[in-house]
Amino acid sequence: MNKRKLRRVAIVALVLVLLCNTLGVQASTKKDDPTVIVKDYGSLYTAIAEAKDNDVIGIQGTITIPAIVDLNMSENKAVILRRMEAGAKLVVSGDYGADNKASFRMISFDGNSTEVGGTEPFVEINGNAYFSMCDFTECFNQSDNGGAINISSGEVELSSCSFDGNSASYGSHIFNSGTLLVNSCTLKGGWADEMGGAIYNRGTLTVKGTEIKENNARIGGGIYNNSSLEVDNSLIWSNTATVQGTDIANEGTYTNSTTEEQFDSWLDYYKLYYAGWEDDTNTSVGGSGDYLKFLTATEKPTKPDPTEPVDPEPTEPSTPDPVTPPSGGDEGKTDPEPTDPAPTDPEPTDPKPTEPDKPDTTEPSTEDPKPSTPSNADQTGGGDTTTDNSDHSTTDNSQHNSTTSNSSSVGGNTTNTSSVSNTDNSRSESSRTENSNNSSSKLLGVSVRMVDKYLHSGELTVDHMEKNKVVIDVTEVYSLREKRSKRKRG
């Protein structure tokens, strides 16, 4: 029993401790009540001037602030302006020249969305304004543009400001249609139903020394731009887009001059390194711009050392090596096909006067005559003339023929002609043997000189040409000789 009682007491005590802790946390997170609630510009100006450090000033209705005044220029106190109803807002308005502007310093703009919601941007600007060291939190605009700030016109600069936990349909933190410089700021935790998780820009936007992260939208989780965007030394990363453009959706003009060293300097706090940008265009949706996602790595990406390109040295075209004939003499060698030179008729020359031949009174011998040695006159007279009345065969492997002919016409029945031609690394011989069917008696007394004389006088005609040789009919020569002998005897 005692153990059971002790166990019950312990359980009750634990419940009481947990309950006290919960109540303590709720008490500690409960916002302070406003010191004063204002509804017009005069009351607001006075409340800020009289406020102590961290005093809360409640805002109701629409308060218009001239774009020429300075609010809370004290260096010793911070002031909180809290929305007290869903439609409450501050409107900066008026054109007082380019050198004049409304100034806000060290003011926290509390949209108080958990208590009252929101149907308007907390700050609306229609003139020139400057914000320094200001905070914008819990600013909710459920159906319009810009949760914290909506810039319709004018030149606006945000310096060393922070935005966190704001929401709108377009541009959760800022909707810009004017000229906006965001310098040394932090924008995070924004939620846009459509475009521009942090900023929706349709004016001129310059972002310098700023970090934009952990914002959400359908398109352009960090920034959506359809006008002019310039980014310098800034980190836009770790945002979310359900359609495309995780960190930047650009459908206008966009430049980013942030260097890799600057990216790594920003990421050093997170122990990460820059790894480039990725195109995260949704091909099923498409678009007319650039949709980018920032990439990081846990280790420094290595890159090859840049080397200057070297032009290749010009090279002459290679020529094929000469084909070496196979060993073994002329075996495997292919000689060129012989080409017969075009036949040419010998040029006519005036016959030299010659003494008439003496009549041949020698009777034909019945014995086979021995061939006689050609005389000098037979070797040099009459050119290259062959007496041929027989079948013949010729073998010629040369493309160029040079012929030396030695003919015998006395006491023989065989005429031998040798033709030799030299080409590169080759020698071809043409041998021609002519066997006369005529009896040896018909050739007696027929000499080369006689044939030459008959040719020059025109009495003897050329039967045909054969490889630069004049071929005649021996019977015609014999007939001419008999005719001349008869004339002489007569």
Side-chain angles (χ1 to χ4, degrees), residues 446-463:
V446 179
S447 66
V448 174
R449 176 178 294 178
M450 182 182 298
V451 172
D452 183 58
K453 181 164 54 177
Y454 292 158
L455 287 172
H456 287 302
S457 65
E459 297 177 83
L460 179 64
T461 60
V462 177
D463 186 59

Side-chain angles (χ1 to χ4, degrees), residues 50 57 103 121 154 184 196 228 245 281 284 291 325 384 391 401 432-433 451:
E50 296 178 351
I57 301 173
S103 298
S184 301
S228 174
T281 302
S284 64
Y291 306 95
D384 185 9
D391 296 334
N401 292 325
R432 175 179 176 180
T433 304
V451 172

Side-chain angles (χ1 to χ4, degrees), residues 247-325:
D247 295 303
I248 296 176
N250 172 58
E251 295 181 355
T253 61
Y254 161 63
T255 60
N256 192 333
S257 58
T258 309
T259 64
E260 181 177 348
E261 290 75 15
Q262 290 172 332
F263 282 134
D264 286 341
S265 178
W266 279 99
L267 294 169
D268 182 64
Y269 176 81
Y270 305 99
K271 307 299 181 185
L272 295 172
Y273 298 93
Y274 168 69
W277 292 89
E278 179 182 68
D279 181 2
D280 71 341
T281 302
N282 187 332
T283 56
S284 64
V285 176
S288 59
D290 304 316
Y291 306 95
L292 306 174
K293 179 180 180 180
F294 186 86
L295 302 180
T296 61
T298 56
E299 295 182 357
K300 179 73 173 177
T302 58
K303 295 181 180 179
D305 295 334
T307 56
E308 294 183 0
V310 178
D311 295 333
E313 296 182 0
T315 57
E316 296 182 358
S318 60
T319 56
D321 296 334
V323 178
T324 304

Side-chain angles (χ1 to χ4, degrees), residues 10-161:
I11 293 174
V12 172
L14 180 59
V15 171
L16 292 174
V17 170
L18 293 175
L19 182 59
C20 293
N21 289 336
T22 303
L23 293 175
V25 170
Q26 290 179 348
S28 63
T29 57
K30 188 177 183 301
K31 295 180 179 180
D32 294 335
D33 292 332
T35 305
V36 62
I37 297 176
V38 298
K39 298 180 180 180
D40 56 66
Y41 166 68
S43 301
L44 174 62
Y45 187 88
T46 302
I48 292 175
E50 296 178 351
K52 297 179 182 179
D53 188 29
N54 289 322
D55 274 357
V56 178
I57 301 173
I59 306 295
Q60 289 182 340
T62 299
I63 299 177
T64 300
I65 302 172
I68 194 174
V69 298
D70 296 335
L71 295 179
N72 194 29
M73 298 308 297
S74 173
E75 297 181 359
N76 301 319
K77 65 180 181 182
V79 176
I80 300 172
L81 302 181
R82 180 178 298 164
R83 174 185 278 170
M84 303 304 296
E85 55 189 17
K89 63 180 180 180
L90 303 174
V91 178
V92 178
S93 181
D95 183 3
Y96 299 93
D99 296 332
N100 296 308
K101 55 191 173 184
S103 298
F104 301 84
R105 183 177 182 276
M106 295 182 67
I107 296 178
S108 294
F109 295 84
D110 179 9
N112 198 22
S113 60
T114 55
E115 298 291 335
V116 299
T119 58
E120 296 285 343
F122 196 8
V123 179
E124 186 176 302
I125 301 174
N126 300 309
N128 299 336
Y130 174 77
F131 296 81
S132 174
M133 295 182 286
C134 295
D135 303 329
F136 298 81
T137 59
E138 288 192 43
C139 300
F140 179 47
N141 183 358
Q142 68 180 27
S143 60
D144 206 351
N145 302 328
I149 299 176
N150 185 327
I151 303 170
S152 298
S153 63
E155 296 182 1
V156 179
E157 179 178 351
L158 302 171
S159 178
S160 301
C161 297

Side-chain angles (χ1 to χ4, degrees), residues 224-252:
Y224 174 84
N225 170 61
N226 68 358
S227 185
S228 174
L229 170 62
E230 180 181 350
V231 179
D232 177 35
N233 189 20
S234 296
L235 183 63
I236 306 171
W237 72 302
S238 193
N239 298 285
T240 303
T242 58
V243 176
Q244 60 187 2
T246 299
D247 295 303
I248 296 176
N250 172 58
E251 295 181 355

